[in-house]
């Protein structure tokens, strides 16, 4: 609080003084300008323009028009008081074919963004890949092909050279599980392929790409930069302690979590995953030296969390017919609804799952700093006749999850920061513009930005460095 602030200090959850308070976005979801200044199609441009793939036929062609409203959006962040901003670089904006030299106009956009963030006193956190693979690389085979990982290492070197003097934190990949298993396994995300083998090959090549990018960043930047990876780890709960339900949870943990955690942190593949997926592959696409490359040391781990995953054993006679993102588990596992309230995405609200996940990582990865790189909720909020956007459900969701983070810190988890998803309402992947995660409302017809009540609440939390202070404060 400032010297003139006479509000009573009623906080029960005070965070460390150097805790990083951020918000996050992704390039394809907010930038727009899909064909400007040399940008070529990504797999999400192609996917969203394919009839039936995205709700209402929505595309990211304009999105939140952040490409043209960069200064306005940075000013919003300054008003909120965030210390950090996590953004992603659109690979096809800076290297349209995924090969060769960069397009300077594309690099210049990110240079302007970083410069304005620094001028506003906001720490830039750059994510190299948030799902927008250049379409030309997908046409050559995409992430199931080894070459894509090699191209990603070259792209990382380009970005380090362009922004390395101003960006202190680099994240290689965002949620490779979604990109591999939703993109290539059940096809609900770009590029829309449905192959268990392709999904496993993609997962391995994401691990390899991550390691190659770490090497490229280290060689260009030295030891002064923080390098990270962001995973959407599943907080898996068995429905009971029966052996068959525990085995169902093990299977989902293997293909949902340890498929990335083990190679990156231990340089190994989960042996039970190899057994589970034996009907699909012998993993011969893993070459000598790949796992050593994938396990290059990193400085922190980003965690994206929204809700827990409850599983039970499937009846042995239960057939599986739909394409699945759970290679090796699909015929053995049933997914059960978690109890409690639900968001507009029909996702259960359960902050205890975040606490459980953080304590698991405390125990499994001692010495690894953790950062919550995404957490938030979609609700059916709207601007009322007075222009206000009231979203009490989101405030309640965020409060509960920040309290869970605080509890985990008290329990010994080394959590360094929290990035709220998302700054802006945006293009929500296969849901198009039908779901709103932002703390800033966007009228997509006019691009008018309006702070929701949750934005004011978050600004107050940041200002005070903790929870249980007054609500409704912050910038107007």
């Amino acid at each position: 609080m400032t010297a003139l602030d006479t509000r009573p200090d009623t906080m029960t959850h005070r965070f460390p003084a150097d805790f990083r308070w951020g918000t996050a976005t992704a390039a394809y979801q907010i930038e727009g300008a899909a064909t400007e200044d040399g940008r070529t199609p990504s797999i999400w441009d192609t996917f969203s323009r394919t009839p039936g793939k995205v709700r209402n036929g929505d595309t990211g062609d304009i999105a939140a028009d952040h490409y043209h409203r960069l200064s306005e959006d940075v000013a919003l962040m300054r008003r909120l008081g965030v210390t950090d901003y996590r953004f992603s670089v659109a690979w096809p904006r800076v290297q349209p074919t995924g090969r060769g030299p960069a397009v300077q106009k594309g690099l210049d956009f990110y240079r302007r963004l970083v410069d304005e963030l620094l001028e506003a006193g906001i720490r830039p956190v750059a994510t190299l890949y948030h799902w927008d693979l250049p379409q030309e690389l997908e046409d050559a085979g995409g992430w199931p092909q080894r070459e894509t990982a090699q191209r990603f290492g070259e792209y990382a070197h380009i970005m380090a050279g362009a922004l390395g003097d101003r960006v202190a934190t680099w994240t290689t990949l965002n949620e490779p599980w979604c990109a591999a298993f939703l993109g290539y396994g059940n096809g609900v995300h770009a590029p829309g392929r449905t192959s268990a083998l392709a999904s496993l090959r993609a997962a391995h090549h994401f691990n390899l790409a991550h390691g190659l990018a770490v090497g490229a960043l280290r060689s260009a930047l030295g030891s002064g930069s923080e390098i990270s990876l962001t995973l959407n780890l599943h907080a898996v709960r068995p429905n009971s302690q029966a052996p068959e339900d525990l085995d169902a949870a093990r299977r989902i943990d293997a293909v949902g979590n340890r498929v990335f955690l083990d190679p990156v942190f231990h340089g190994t593949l989960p042996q039970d995953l190899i057994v589970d997926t034996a009907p699909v592959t012998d993993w011969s696409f893993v070459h000598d030296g790949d796992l050593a490359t994938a396990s290059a040391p990193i400085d922190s781990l980003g965690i994206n969390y929204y809700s827990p995953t409850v599983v039970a054993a499937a009846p042995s006679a239960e057939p599986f017919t739909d394409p699945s993102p759970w290679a090796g588990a699909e015929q053995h596992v049933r997914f059960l609804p978690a109890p409690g309230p639900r968001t507009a995405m029909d996702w259960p609200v359960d902050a205890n799952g975040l606490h459980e996940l953080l304590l698991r990582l405390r125990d499994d990865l001692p010495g690894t700093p953790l950062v919550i790189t995404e957490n938030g909720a979609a609700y059916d909020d709207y601007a009322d006749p007075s222009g206000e956007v009231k979203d009490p459900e989101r405030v309640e969701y965020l409060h509960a999850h920040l309290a869970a983070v605080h509890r985990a810190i008290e329990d010994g988890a080394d959590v360094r920061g929290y990035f709220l998803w998302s700054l802006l309402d945006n293009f929500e992947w296969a849901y198009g513009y039908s779901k709103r995660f932002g703390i800033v409302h966007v009228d997509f017809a006019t691009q008018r930005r309006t702070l929701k009540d949750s934005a004011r609440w978050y600004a107050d939390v940041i200002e005070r460095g903790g929870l249980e202070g007054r609500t409704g404060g912050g910038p107007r």
Side-chain angles (χ1 to χ4, degrees):
M1 292 184 288
T2 66
L4 297 179
D5 192 343
T6 59
R7 294 173 292 178
D9 187 349
T10 61
M11 285 188 294
T12 59
H13 300 85
R14 185 181 295 279
F15 285 78
D18 59 353
F19 195 76
R20 294 160 60 181
W21 297 99
T23 188
T25 63
Y28 189 72
Q29 293 183 270
I30 67 166
E31 282 182 3
T35 60
E36 293 187 34
D37 295 334
R39 184 188 181 279
T40 57
S42 73
I43 54 175
W44 268 98
D45 293 278
T46 302
F47 187 79
S48 65
R49 294 169 189 165
T50 303
K53 296 298 186 182
V54 175
R55 187 171 296 183
N56 301 319
D58 293 338
T59 73
D61 287 358
I62 300 174
D65 199 29
H66 174 71
Y67 192 77
H68 300 111
R69 298 170 186 269
L70 178 160
S71 296
E72 179 182 359
D73 293 339
V74 173
L76 282 173
M77 288 182 254
R78 186 203 290 261
R79 291 174 64 193
L80 294 175
V82 298
T83 63
D84 292 60
Y85 173 54
R86 178 176 177 254
F87 64 95
S88 78
V89 177
W91 191 350
R93 192 177 295 287
V94 301
Q95 199 186 27
T97 66
R99 301 178 178 87
V103 172
Q104 290 305 309
K105 286 186 177 180
L107 291 177
D108 286 345
F109 168 74
Y110 297 105
R111 290 183 178 115
R112 290 196 305 274
L113 172 61
V114 168
D115 287 347
E116 293 205 22
L117 289 169
L118 292 173
E119 185 178 346
I122 300 169
R123 190 171 181 270
V125 177
T127 299
L128 290 174
Y129 188 76
H130 199 130
W131 308 352
D132 44 4
L133 182 71
Q135 182 62 44
E136 188 164 316
L137 289 184
E138 173 60 24
D139 293 341
W143 285 107
Q145 296 301 313
R146 184 177 196 83
E147 183 188 357
T148 304
Q150 295 164 342
R151 299 288 81 78
F152 185 72
E154 296 167 2
Y155 159 63
H157 184 78
I158 287 172
M159 294 311 305
L163 299 178
D165 60 333
R166 285 161 287 178
V167 172
T169 297
W170 295 83
T171 299
T172 56
L173 304 170
N174 177 79
E175 296 188 352
W177 186 88
C178 291
F181 292 97
L182 301 182
Y184 294 91
N186 71 346
V188 301
H189 279 193
R193 291 206 242 166
T194 55
S195 164
L197 175 57
S199 69
L200 293 169
R201 289 177 63 96
H204 172 65
H205 292 135
F206 274 120
N207 286 329
L208 179 60
H210 160 74
L212 292 170
V214 171
L217 293 169
R218 293 277 187 226
S219 65
L221 303 174
S223 60
S225 296
E226 177 187 2
I227 298 178
S228 183
L229 167 69
T230 284
L231 301 176
N232 59 310
L233 297 172
H234 300 79
V236 185
R237 295 174 180 162
N239 190 49
S240 76
Q241 294 302 300
E244 56 270 24
D245 286 355
L246 292 173
D247 188 65
R250 177 202 60 75
R251 286 177 180 271
I252 296 304
D253 186 59
V255 74
N257 295 331
R258 288 182 284 116
V259 66
F260 299 110
L261 288 173
D262 284 13
V264 169
F265 288 96
H266 306 300
T268 61
L269 286 170
Q271 290 304 303
D272 57 331
L273 178 63
I274 293 175
V275 173
D276 292 345
T277 56
V280 178
T281 180
D282 61 3
W283 291 81
S284 58
F285 48 82
V286 180
H287 293 189
D288 288 346
D290 284 2
L291 295 174
T293 298
S295 60
I298 58 176
D299 303 300
S300 63
L301 175 64
I303 301 110
N304 293 356
Y305 173 85
Y306 293 94
S307 59
T309 301
V310 182
V311 298
S316 59
E318 183 174 294
F320 188 89
T321 57
D322 294 330
S324 170
W326 304 102
E330 59 267 33
Q331 293 180 326
H332 303 273
V333 177
R334 289 184 299 136
F335 291 88
L336 304 177
R342 307 183 87 79
T343 70
M345 297 289 286
D346 198 32
W347 294 349
V349 178
D350 188 338
N352 289 328
L354 178 55
H355 179 259
E356 294 165 9
L357 185 58
L358 290 172
L359 295 196
R360 177 221 174 134
L361 295 170
R362 175 202 65 186
D363 296 339
D364 289 357
L365 302 175
T368 301
L370 307 173
V371 178
I372 309 303
T373 38
E374 285 185 27
N375 177 241
Y379 288 102
D380 295 325
D381 36 51
Y382 58 92
D384 67 19
S386 69
E388 296 289 315
V389 183
K390 302 183 184 304
D391 55 344
E393 300 96 343
R394 183 174 290 106
V395 170
E396 184 175 353
Y397 178 101
L398 296 171
H399 189 286
H401 285 75
L402 273 169
V405 173
H406 186 271
R407 191 163 76 253
I409 293 172
E410 290 188 320
D411 290 338
D414 185 9
V415 186
R416 305 285 182 90
Y418 177 91
F419 288 73
L420 190 156
W421 185 270
S422 175
L423 175 68
L424 303 170
D425 289 337
N426 54 38
F427 175 86
E428 186 48 42
W429 307 115
Y431 292 91
Y433 297 101
S434 68
K435 305 298 180 186
R436 293 179 176 270
F437 275 89
I439 56 171
V440 176
H441 180 273
V442 177
D443 181 331
F444 293 107
T446 66
Q447 295 296 336
R448 176 180 172 83
R449 274 84 160 129
T450 302
L451 294 179
K452 302 179 185 180
D453 282 357
S454 58
R456 298 187 176 94
W457 175 86
Y458 191 47
D460 189 70
V461 170
I462 295 170
E463 180 187 4
R464 306 192 72 192
L467 298 173
E468 303 297 340
R470 67 182 177 92
T471 59
R476 305 298 294 184

